[in-house]
């Protein structure tokens, strides 16, 4: 945790309760006490410094001074075939850490249907992973998260991003490599990257993607986990766009 994130209401209240994980981190890991300061930020807002005015029975009283608008998210939207929950947690943390603008989780024809019914989104676990990745990156801006019942539905929502370069990762029958698309990526205003679920895309989904303007490309012949493929693709795309230099 390289920054402690708070809601606007928490910042206004200026108190972290003793049982809060952030209080334990500040006191036990950072070894902060009255008179000290720590990096803090408002979720979706300013980053700055929090000053500890008192520590009473493990409860931290603080004031916050905003110093910047925080690190902006990058113009990269992800379409992800819903993976198994344990993979999804790592994927979301990395997506937030790398600064993707949004993550669209979608059911796919070959994906495990039960994953979409998992509680990870409903119980807030997915959002916690995004916050965790954002805090790791010392950022305040959290990627938007969406869930769709089909690839058709997902692409319809994203269709309004007409200026976006559309890429679909596929290690079956793709004629180009992702690296071969670097010149187009470098000049793109934004990129939408689609990564299939564990069993990849169906032939019908390949037709849907191509009809929607997605260029199918590969990252070699090795079959990667969804989380590995997503993190690797994000790194390559953001690097080509000049955001990781």
């Amino acid at each position: 945790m390289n920054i402690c994130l708070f809601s606007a209401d928490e910042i206004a209240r200026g108190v972290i309760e003793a049982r809060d994980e952030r209080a334990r981190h500040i006191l036990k890991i950072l070894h902060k006490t009255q008179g000290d300061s720590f990096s803090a930020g408002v979720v979706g807002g300013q980053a700055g410094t929090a000053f500890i005015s008192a520590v009473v029975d493990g409860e931290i009283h603080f004031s916050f001074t905003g110093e910047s608008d925080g690190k902006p998210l990058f113009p990269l939207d992800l379409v992800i075939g819903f993976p198994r929950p344990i993979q999804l947690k790592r994927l979301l943390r990395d997506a937030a850490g790398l600064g993707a603008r949004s993550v669209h989780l979608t059911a796919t024809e070959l994906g495990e249907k039960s994953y979409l019914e998992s509680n990870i989104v409903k119980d807030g676990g997915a959002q916690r992973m995004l916050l965790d990745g954002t805090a790791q990156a010392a950022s305040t801006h959290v990627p938007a998260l969406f869930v769709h019942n089909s690839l058709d539905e997902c692409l319809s929502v994203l269709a309004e991003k007409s200026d976006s370069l559309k890429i679909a990762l596929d290690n079956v029958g793709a004629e180009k490599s992702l690296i071969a698309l670097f010149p187009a990526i470098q000049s793109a205003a934004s990129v939408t990257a689609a990564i299939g679920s564990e069993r990849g895309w169906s032939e019908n989904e390949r037709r849907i993607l191509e009809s929607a303007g997605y260029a199918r490309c590969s990252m070699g012949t090795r079959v990667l986990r969804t989380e590995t493929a997503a993190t690797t693709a994000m790194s390559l795309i953001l690097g080509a766009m000049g955001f990781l230099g």
Side-chain angles (χ1 to χ4, degrees):
M1 187 187 297
N2 292 310
I3 189 172
C4 287
L5 296 177
F6 301 93
S7 68
D9 287 344
E10 288 175 320
I11 287 288
R13 183 167 175 258
V15 177
I16 316 174
E17 296 181 357
R19 65 175 180 271
D20 193 298
E21 178 186 353
R22 291 165 296 183
R24 293 194 294 270
H25 179 80
I26 293 165
L27 299 177
K28 303 297 184 182
I29 305 300
L30 300 181
H31 302 291
K32 301 292 185 178
T33 188
Q34 182 176 336
D36 290 336
S37 62
F38 59 91
S39 296
V42 183
V43 174
Q46 285 193 311
T49 301
F51 299 89
I52 300 173
S53 58
V55 178
V56 181
D57 295 329
E59 188 177 80
I60 301 172
H61 295 251
F62 69 95
S63 60
F64 171 75
T65 301
E67 297 164 353
S68 76
D69 291 330
K71 300 173 183 177
L73 295 173
F74 299 130
L76 172 61
D77 302 292
L78 301 174
V79 174
I80 306 290
F82 211 112
R84 66 182 66 227
I86 188 65
Q87 290 186 29
L88 180 57
K89 290 180 179 180
R90 294 190 286 260
L91 188 158
L92 292 175
R93 187 187 290 118
D94 284 347
L98 285 166
R101 180 168 60 187
S102 69
V103 179
H104 293 255
L105 301 174
T106 181
T108 59
E109 293 179 0
L110 300 180
E112 176 58 53
K113 300 300 184 283
S114 65
Y115 295 163
L116 197 66
E117 301 302 318
S118 68
N119 290 324
I120 186 169
V121 175
K122 298 173 186 175
D123 68 7
Q127 192 64 29
R128 286 193 294 274
M129 290 301 101
L130 290 172
L131 285 170
D132 188 47
T134 301
Q136 173 63 39
S139 180
T140 58
H141 297 286
V142 185
L145 179 64
F146 304 89
V147 180
H148 307 278
N149 293 314
S150 69
L151 182 62
D152 255 336
E153 175 189 302
C154 178
L155 298 188
S156 294
V157 170
L158 287 164
E160 62 188 45
K161 299 183 183 297
S162 58
D163 64 340
S164 186
L165 175 66
K166 300 175 176 63
I167 296 169
L169 274 295
D170 194 352
N171 61 356
V172 177
E175 297 181 356
K176 294 182 179 180
S177 70
L178 178 58
I179 291 175
L181 293 177
F182 274 14
I185 293 171
Q186 288 168 351
S187 60
S190 65
V191 174
T192 302
I195 295 99
S197 52
E198 292 178 8
R199 300 183 184 100
W201 304 114
S202 69
E203 287 304 318
N204 180 52
E205 286 169 334
R206 290 187 176 99
R207 288 191 290 271
I208 290 171
L209 286 162
E210 289 176 348
S211 296
Y214 284 75
R216 287 198 298 123
C217 60
S218 71
M219 293 191 296
T221 59
R222 305 186 76 87
V223 180
L224 304 176
R225 290 178 181 269
T226 301
E227 60 178 300
T228 306
T231 303
T232 303
M234 280 188 282
S235 300
L236 290 171
I237 291 168
L238 290 172
M241 295 178 83
F243 293 122
L244 301 185

